[in-house]
Amino acid sequence: RTELALKGIMSSGGAEDDIPQAERKTVTDFCYLLDKSKQLFNGLRDLPQYGQKQWQSYFGRTFDVYTKLWKFQQQHRQVLDNRYGLKRWQIGEIASKIGQLYYHYYLRTSETSYLNEAFSFYSAIRQRSYYSQVNKEDRPELVVKKLRYYARFIVVCLLLNKMDVVKDLVKELSDEIEDYTHRFNTEDQVEWNLVLQEVAAFIEADPVMVLNDDNTIVITSNRLSETGAPLLEQGMIVGQLALADALIIGNCNNQVKFSELTIDMFRMLQALEREPMNLASQMNKPGMQESTEKPARRENPHKYLLYKPTFSQLYTFLAASFKELPANSVLLIYLSATGVFPSGRSDSEGPYDFGGVLTNSNRDIINGDAIHKRNQSYKEMHCLHPGDLYPFTRKPLFIIVDSSNSVAYKNFTNLFGQPLVCLLSPTAYPKALQDQSQRGSLFTLFLNNPLMAFLFVSGLSSMRRGLWEKCQDYLRKINRDIAQLLTHSRSIDQSFLQFFGDEFLRLLLTRFIFCSATMRMHKIFRETRNYPESYPQLPRDETVENPHLQKHILELASILDVRNVFLENTLDDY
């Protein structure tokens, strides 16, 4: 590589002897670092995707080499321009790889601060136009690098809720794709246009817009903020368990997705993260040498994001999470998936007799929601049954099932006496709301952004910022009251209280109760299957049908002038 670089200079008129030794060494060192960085980067693909410890030292080494490479090209840019013929797109490639490293570090650690670092490198590429000359070269593979950079940048911006930047990037990407397909008659035109369609649908998935006075859209974040979860008050006796690991599984047919994230997965992962803080405030720029250090505050729970996993993939990740779960910790399993119903009649009512949710198979899915099997006496194979989770109830387990067959998990049995809770979505929604399912589940929206979900079921599609903030304040008050109801209940199952000490789980539980209470009071949610359920069951009169909570929901509806959407006669005894 080095010889080739130097020979290229000779053929353009210079003699090899004319190159000073120091400059020759600069080119040699650069080529060494470049090769080493590529080798390490490619090796990341071979690391196991599960297990939290094996990969860290390898990532550290890769970061170190990229740090040296980035600084080296900055310090020796002149020599590398003259003697190596360093092009701007090559600098862009290095920056893009660093952005990818930070993004993958975020995926491995769930630490949102690394998203900010990825964003800063991806932004620098765009601001400094590193890829601008690519279009002048007659090499389609270089243009594809540029398009992939845009797609990766969009994912990071979506995760950081930088929607204004996303819209600019989508426009630029659209122009780039048009230019690419016009110049090179390629076969991947359809795929790239699909990328554009996916991201456009993803941006528009939120059913309600919050507007500033000048009608620009307010970007709302749904990560845990300092004031997010209701505080524990004196006299609340709760467990000391902490949420340490989560599996977020998306396997819904026809749901909006981008990259390997469905909209439900995207919403749930944000409900399990704190607001990102900037690493730059704690680190030296470019911020890479110490990037493996942890920011000084409580970490986010670790997450695995599994898009359309097969049963064996799901079970492997589940077993890895279970194995590495620390003492006094909770494992959360979130399933957003198409329901699989039992097709044969069964005389027994065991954990494999009610169906479950879909796992991916390599054959086509027939007949949409219902999966049929050849022999009625066998159980569904491409399905996660409640019984499949039984072995993992040996440790504290918190399960959320968002599916048309979520009730299969109502027939759970707590075999080992460990804390165990299942929050289960409605299995059907009133007809008036059904057409929204492509844009994400209403149940998951309630767990991620309860006010937006409340506005949506109230028939509102936009709202002024001032009123939105007033309602958010009121919702915080409702959450505090729900926390009181839950902790003061005399008949509630202890599992709920054992999980209530963790901020993330506390917020999910209070939002679940708010969701359930709202749906039970809503005029068009009239069938039992329209309501969320839980295992163990909550005492209704003390939680989801509590008159005090119902009064609050009507008050929130009054603030929004939508009280007519809700039933009032539930309060006759109040």
Side-chain angles (χ1 to χ4, degrees), residues 476-495:
R476 277 191 276 276
K477 175 178 167 24
I478 293 177
N479 272 342
R480 284 197 298 275
D481 284 2
I482 292 172
Q484 292 269 5
L485 291 175
L486 220 104
T487 50
H488 292 139
S489 164
R490 298 199 173 168
S491 52
I492 196 165
D493 189 282
Q494 286 302 301
S495 282

Side-chain angles (χ1 to χ4, degrees), residues 180-205:
Y180 168 64
T181 51
H182 182 69
R183 284 173 58 216
F184 307 102
N185 195 11
T186 60
E187 293 172 10
D188 55 357
Q189 177 178 357
V190 176
E191 288 166 43
W192 281 111
N193 283 328
L194 186 62
V195 168
L196 282 176
Q197 285 163 26
E198 283 184 351
V199 72
F202 209 90
I203 296 168
E204 287 163 15

